[in-house]
Amino acid sequence: MQRFKNILFVANKLEGPDSAFERARALAKRNHAALKVVIAMNSMPHHRVIGGERVDDIVRDYCREHLDLKLQEANADGIEVTGAVIEGTFVKIIQEVIAGNHDLVMKTSETRNWLRSKIFGSTDMHLMRKCPAPVWIFKDDQSPRFKKILVAIDPGAPSPEAESLNIKALQLGTSLAEQDQSELEIVYCWRLDGETILRGRAFGRRSETAIDELLSVEEKHHARLLKDAAAPFGLPHDKASLHLCKGDPRVVIPRMAEEDKVELVIMGTLCRNGIAGAIIGNTAEEILSQVQCSVLTIKPKGFVSPVHPEDGGLPRAVDRLAREYAGA
C-alpha cells in the first residue's frame, strides 16, 4: 500500500461516522501522501429559488460546510490535504483524477435503498468501469479494518494485461493483509472448456474415465499456475490460503465472499475490448453486482479512461463502441 502517494477521497457520506474517510486519512498519514477531498454535487438549474435563496447556493453552502469539517479532521492528523466542491457526475470525478494525477480513489458505497441486494450505486459502477486509478469503495457499515480479504486472480489468462492485474491484486492484498493482520484468501477459478459437450450425447462414445483423466491433468496445471503466481509474495501459512475452485468465477467468488464472511474483495476489471477501456469485463461486472462487501478494483497497465480529461464528457472512443454494439 506504500505505492499510493496522491489520494482522492470522494466524500458522499456527509452525516455520521465515515469509516472510508478514516481509512483514507490513515493511509495518507502512513504513506506521507497528499490527500484531496472532493464533494460532487448534482448540477441544478439556477432559477430555482426558495425563501429568497437559490437552491443550488443552499446545497453548495451545505457541501462546503461539510467539506470544511473533513479538512479539519485531516489537518488534525497532520496530513497534507486540499479540498473542493465540484459540480457534476462521475465524469467530473474522473476528470479530477486525471487532472490531479491521483493514484487511488476512495469513497463510501451508495447503497441503492430500493434494491438492497446491490450495494454499489451508479457513480460507484461508473468509477469502477472508467476511472484509470484503482477504486476502493467501502460498504457503508464497514469497519475501517478488514478481518478477511479475498483476492481474485486469473493466472491462466494468456495476456500481459491479465498478468499485470494478478501482480497488482496480489501486491495490494498481501500488503493490506499485513497491515490489518487479516486472513487472506487467494482465489483462482478454472474450467475445462467444452466439458459439458464432452459429457453430452454427441460425444457419448468417449468414456467418462478419459474425461476425468483430462480434468485431472488440467487441475494439476491450474494448481501449478496458482502456486507459481503466489510464490513471490511469501505468504504466511497461518494467515493466507490458496483456493483453486473449479467453476464460474461469477458464481464462485460472490458465494465464497458471503459464506466466508469476506470484508474486502480485490479484483481486476479487465474489459474484453482491450485496454482503451469503455466497458468493464462481463465477469467483473457480474461479480460486483452480487458481492455484499467493500471492494478494491484495479485496471491493467496501459488502461486509458474513456472520459476526456477536459470538459466535454466522453470521447469518440465511446461513440465508436456504442456504434459497434448497435451494429452500425
Side-chain angles (χ1 to χ4, degrees), residues 210-252:
I211 298 172
D212 290 340
E213 288 175 354
L214 177 58
L215 275 173
S216 178
V217 171
E218 284 292 307
E219 184 173 15
K220 290 176 183 177
H221 169 68
H222 291 292
R224 185 168 61 252
L225 291 177
L226 174 59
K227 185 176 180 180
D228 289 347
F233 296 91
L235 304 172
H237 296 294
D238 60 331
K239 283 287 187 180
S241 54
L242 303 181
H243 298 270
L244 181 66
C245 302
K246 183 174 179 288
D248 190 330
R250 295 170 292 187
V251 176
V252 172

Side-chain angles (χ1 to χ4, degrees), residues 20-97:
F21 188 51
E22 183 179 338
R23 187 70 192 234
R25 298 197 320 268
L27 182 60
K29 187 170 184 177
R30 183 184 301 113
N31 289 6
H32 303 288
L35 175 65
K36 183 168 186 177
V37 182
V38 298
I39 297 177
M41 59 175 280
N42 293 329
S43 299
M44 298 180 181
H46 297 322
H47 67 271
R48 290 181 181 165
V49 176
I50 184 170
E53 291 185 80
R54 282 176 24 183
V55 172
D56 61 325
D57 285 340
I58 295 172
V59 173
R60 190 174 291 104
D61 288 344
Y62 173 85
C63 291
R64 285 172 176 162
E65 176 184 341
H66 284 275
L67 175 64
D68 287 343
L69 293 175
K70 296 284 189 188
L71 299 182
Q72 289 170 22
E73 288 183 67
N75 280 322
D77 290 338
I79 297 167
E80 178 190 341
V81 62
T82 57
V85 174
I86 60 178
E87 188 172 337
T89 63
F90 71 92
V91 171
K92 291 294 185 181
I93 296 172
I94 295 176
Q95 288 174 337
E96 185 75 39
V97 173

